[in-house]
Amino acid sequence: MAEHRNGNGLQSSSKPSGGGGGGGGGVSYQIDLENFAKRLQALYGNWKENKGELWGNCDAFAVATPPASEDLRYLKSSALNIWLLGYEFPETIMVFSRKQLHFLCSAKKASLIEVVRKSAKEAVGGEVVIHVKGKGEDGSVQMDAVLRAVREGKGSVLGYLAKEAPEGALLELWSGKIKDCGMEVVDVTNGLSDLFAVKDVEEQKNVRKAAFLTASVMKNFVVPKLEQVIDEEQKVSHSALMDETEKAVLQPARVKAKLRPENVDICYPPIFQSGGQFDLRPSATSNDENLYYESASVIICAVGSRYNSYCSNIARTFLIDANSLQSKAYEVLLKAQEAAIAALKPGEKVSSVYQAVLSVVERDAPELVPNLAKSAGTGIGLEFRESGLTLNAKNDRVMKQGMSFNVSLGFQNLQSPQNSSSKDQNFSLLLADTVVLGPKGPDVCTNISSKAVKDVAYSFNEDEEEEERPKVKQETSRIDALMSKTTLRSVHSEHNKEEARRLHQAELARQKNEETARRLAGGGSGNGDSRSVSRPSSELVAYKNVNDLPFPKADLMIQIDQKNEAILLPIYGSMVPFHVSTVKTVNNQSDTNRNSYIRIIFNIPGTAFSPHDANSLKHQGSIYLKEVSFRSKDSRHINEIVAQIKTLRRQVASRESERAERATLVTQEKLVLANSKIRPLRLGDLWIRPQFGGRGRKQLGTLEAHINGFRYSTSKPDERVDIMYANIKHAFFQPAENEMICIIHFHLRNHIMVGTKKTKDVQFYREVMDMVQNVGGGRRSAYDPDEIEEEQRERDRKNKINMEFHAFAHRVNDIWDQSQFKGLELEFDQPLRELGFHGVPYKATAFIVPTSSCLVELTETPFLVITLAEIEIVNLERVGFGQKNFDMAIIFKDFKRDVFRIDSIPTTSLESIKEWLNTTDIKYYESRLNLNWRPILKTIVDDPQKFIDDGGWEFLDMDATDTDTDGSEESDKGYEPSDVEAESESEDEESESASLVESDDEEEEESEEASEEEKGKTWEELEREASNADRERGVDSDSEDERRRRKMKTFGKSRPGPSSGSMPKRAKMR
């Protein structure tokens, strides 16, 4: 039984209004008036059209909702509440007449219903009259007023739900009142059944979501759980399996269903039956007997779940070493159910469905007709069994588009005489699916859970396998049988699990090779290398004409023009301007004669680190100045000039870099701010990463959710970031558990600018506790009351922040559930810490955690977000005996993207990673060496047909290559590990990612240091040239001893001494 029930077990589908009070356990709700008006019109239209046939010619009808209950039950009164108002109102009486709608309820409920007055008037011309029952009143006075108003409206026939027994004092009093009201009373159950039968678009969507959850539980939880129990020969009771399955339904993320847990519930406790005791009714229960899975046994599993109160159902039968009778009966049942689904056609009678079932059974196995269930299912929706849509031979109602059905078919109490055990002799079979009659015919909403024979028949008995294999399995090849992931043979559990995983991976390999072949054949991954992107450069112009040059100083000194970003150098008596962007490096040095030298090296085309740009291509025939040196006695002036040039270069480079980054940005839509009527959701006291640039103290900011996006802003007017909902690819909420921060993280589709930084990842966080340092130096006792109180405060603060972030994410999910954002498929994802592992994605070790759709690391920068759907394969490298660590290479479907590496993963995490990859249907390979992936991908893109002909990705299969030494030697020639290139690639990626979070000053200082080490004449070469020139002019040079001493002094400063006690670093192997 689910721990939480909303009213009569029906979940609310109304919209939270954000208020404090209301009728929903401290949460305020508002009624969807547009939906109310549309459905009220449908109600009155159906009543008018079928008044005599279905509504008993009633002039008014009453629907009384009983008190809330924790029991699972389905009442038409509750269904009408949810269908019409969007929420169940317990202990409320509704009376519908032609001109009035009466509501008898408490004051709190009346405040919510008050808003429907205008909508009811516009929709059906009815006046809404609300009768408030005060505290301490029994409601008798209000009931008399309602009945008197009905009689005054010339009502002589009153309809009510005769099949619903009154519960509680209010409804018992009302039941007595209507019997003594002096009017004829009739049952209107059939009218409401017909009203609920055809679902609108929103209702169909709820049924489909519920069916998806149900099928996901069967596929991703029930089947693996049964396989584990049987494989490991565990003793587990039916009731224990029921409890675990119910928890899986209530936690959709466990079964890979992106649904909000508060919107889901069970339709009935999950049913597990085996061992000869079978009951095919949904009211059956799972007993405390252990699951029975001996040879020739049958296991029946049924699961029903609800989404926004709309029901769905699925049932599967599993055969263990099936005998011929069981196999034949299952095949006939499968054909009969497929015939029933095919017979669901708008315009046809409901009885035709059961006739289609009966004809199949009579044709293929007439001896099984007595054991066939008397119906093929029922309608399904707000009620698990819609009474007017039972799929039996007597129902002549006509099916319509929009109806939904639980097509449930079974054989009851079949006997297998050849089985000796009583638990094997008696068996039953059951199949059930949820089907919606769409515009293109019946849509089986639970088809992701297979019911084919090969997927539900398990074989353990090798000696009798050939003799007792079902016909369908006889027709399949031995290879297909080996590929089936449900074939379990080994008695050793660990080996058996590995074998199942290996078979699943083999199937994934086949599918992946076919998918890759189709994509390459269709040109899905283009040729060429897009890794190096050249930035556009504008023409460098310092001065447009000579008259713009500043007036030269009398002493012809080097000048810096900050306004025009130019350096004016005195050359042959004239001031020659150079744009600062043409300067490659600038430095200065002094000699022993107190002379200071400034040396400027320029960018010229054709040299290393100076690629051709638009300016060099435009002036190909020009003569370039490579370098220039000046000597001065004024060392202070030289130092100032060098500092000014470097500062100006840094400013220009930063501006041009930002301009180039902004030029590549995708134009975003404008943020629509919430108005005064709709207050935006706010989350305050947040830090942002990457941080805004600039000096000074960083400011806390606030994140607001507006109409079509988020806005983060601080107290500084220029510190503002807008994130559109349409630009969000993934959203994450990571609570503070073992970390010091609680995180809201957005991974974007297109880059945006945060300050001066271009990024695809924007993170907002709050520190859950302050860093405290004990200045006393002494150790505090663990039993110190102050220490205990401080720890409790920290825990309370962490829990409070986590709850605040969780509430914000939950309310944003409500916004994303609105119809205009449905196509974005956005929902906050939460990392699954239990599946995490340590590794080195960039430069440092980090804890990497999977989510339902990504692989992330959100705590340390640079961030890591890899979408699982974009992964082609994963290669686990350096896997072998004796290795403490291994590496993970992630190859993307877009072969233009560089392979992403996660290094130094502990070998202890290998099995859990392989299991995770297998459960997420990602094909992985293992190799003993690191591979150089860039030439491999280039070879695949250049000749995709040869790649497919050679077996696709199978060259990575370590087991296969071990068996063919010749082939492996030949293939290894093209796939040798690289020690240099792979590392340089990862370093490039690291430096690129790091630029998103490091400060501008650090980047510029590093670039300057690197640039000053670039090629140019050394000071020794310049000194040697000067000495030769002096000798030619007859000037005495320094003595040889002085030059040697000066040379030794220079080298002594620049050459590092040996490190004491340290070993040389070993080159990192890729």
Side-chain angles (χ1 to χ4, degrees), residues 230 233-235 274-275 290-299 318-323 326 419 421 423-424 458 460-461 468:
I230 299 171
E233 299 183 1
Q234 300 176 4
K235 292 185 178 180
S274 65
N290 287 337
L291 188 71
Y292 183 76
Y293 45 84
E294 296 299 325
S295 181
S297 60
V298 170
I299 301 173
F318 301 97
L319 310 175
I320 311 298
D321 285 327
N323 57 37
Q326 292 170 340
N419 294 342
S421 172
K423 292 187 176 182
D424 298 333
Y458 292 77
F460 296 95
N461 194 338
E468 298 184 354

Side-chain angles (χ1 to χ4, degrees), residues 173-184:
L173 180 61
W174 171 252
S175 179
K177 290 280 187 182
I178 62 176
K179 290 179 181 178
D180 300 331
C181 66
M183 292 183 286
E184 180 186 354

Side-chain angles (χ1 to χ4, degrees), residues 534-546:
S534 60
R535 296 177 177 175
S537 64
S538 57
E539 186 175 359
L540 300 177
V541 177
Y543 303 98
K544 294 183 178 180
N545 54 61
V546 179

Side-chain angles (χ1 to χ4, degrees), residues 477-516:
S477 65
R478 186 181 177 192
I479 296 176
D480 290 337
L482 289 174
M483 299 292 281
S484 174
K485 64 181 180 181
T486 58
T487 304
L488 308 173
R489 302 180 184 278
S490 176
V491 296
H492 304 291
S493 61
E494 288 299 325
H495 174 72
N496 210 357
K497 184 184 297 185
E498 180 65 29
E499 180 70 10
R501 190 165 64 199
R502 186 185 67 79
L503 294 174
H504 186 211
Q505 285 292 308
E507 176 66 18
L508 287 177
R510 181 185 63 80
Q511 296 175 2
K512 185 59 63 179
N513 285 330
E514 293 176 356
E515 177 191 332
T516 306

Side-chain angles (χ1 to χ4, degrees), residues 298-548:
V298 170
I299 301 173
I300 291 179
C301 305
V303 179
S305 66
R306 288 186 291 179
Y307 181 81
N308 281 344
S309 301
Y310 284 83
C311 301
S312 65
N313 187 48
I314 191 173
R316 295 290 183 262
T317 299
F318 301 97
L319 310 175
I320 311 298
D321 285 327
N323 57 37
S324 57
L325 175 60
Q326 292 170 340
S327 300
K328 179 182 179 180
Y330 185 84
E331 291 174 23
V332 173
L333 182 65
L334 184 58
K335 290 180 182 179
Q337 197 213 22
E338 291 173 350
I341 294 172
L344 293 170
K345 298 177 181 179
E348 298 290 335
K349 291 184 177 180
V350 173
S351 58
S352 64
V353 177
Y354 192 78
Q355 292 298 333
V357 170
L358 197 59
S359 62
V360 170
V361 179
E362 289 176 341
R363 183 190 68 221
D364 294 347
E367 70 278 7
L368 300 180
V369 171
N371 303 95
L372 181 64
K374 300 307 178 185
S375 75
T378 62
I380 194 170
L382 287 169
E383 298 176 282
F384 184 76
R385 286 177 287 191
E386 294 183 339
S387 54
L389 291 177
T390 302
L391 301 177
N392 57 27
K394 300 178 182 179
N395 195 338
D396 291 333
R397 289 190 60 180
V398 176
M399 292 180 285
K400 300 177 183 179
Q401 180 179 321
M403 290 183 172
S404 56
F405 294 93
N406 167 31
V407 183
S408 178
L409 200 60
F411 288 126
Q412 180 81 45
N413 296 327
L414 295 173
Q415 300 296 320
S416 181
Q418 63 256 45
N419 294 342
S420 57
S421 172
S422 59
K423 292 187 176 182
D424 298 333
Q425 287 182 352
N426 181 42
F427 70 95
S428 298
L429 304 176
L430 178 65
L431 285 176
D433 285 284
T434 303
V435 183
V436 174
L437 264 65
K440 298 181 180 179
D443 180 14
V444 183
C445 303
T446 50
N447 59 0
I448 63 171
S449 177
S450 176
K451 54 192 172 187
V453 176
K454 68 182 182 65
D455 292 324
V456 300
Y458 292 77
S459 176
F460 296 95
N461 194 338
E462 294 186 13
D463 298 332
E464 301 177 1
E465 179 184 359
E466 294 299 327
E467 179 179 312
E468 298 184 354
R469 184 177 297 174
K471 291 182 180 179
V472 175
K473 288 199 170 184
Q474 290 177 357
E475 295 171 1
T476 59
S477 65
R478 186 181 177 192
I479 296 176
D480 290 337
L482 289 174
M483 299 292 281
S484 174
K485 64 181 180 181
T486 58
T487 304
L488 308 173
R489 302 180 184 278
S490 176
V491 296
H492 304 291
S493 61
E494 288 299 325
H495 174 72
N496 210 357
K497 184 184 297 185
E498 180 65 29
E499 180 70 10
R501 190 165 64 199
R502 186 185 67 79
L503 294 174
H504 186 211
Q505 285 292 308
E507 176 66 18
L508 287 177
R510 181 185 63 80
Q511 296 175 2
K512 185 59 63 179
N513 285 330
E514 293 176 356
E515 177 191 332
T516 306
R518 287 193 301 268
R519 193 169 65 250
L520 293 176
S525 182
N527 296 328
D529 193 341
S530 62
R531 293 173 180 86
S532 59
V533 180
S534 60
R535 296 177 177 175
S537 64
S538 57
E539 186 175 359
L540 300 177
V541 177
Y543 303 98
K544 294 183 178 180
N545 54 61
V546 179
N547 297 327
D548 294 338

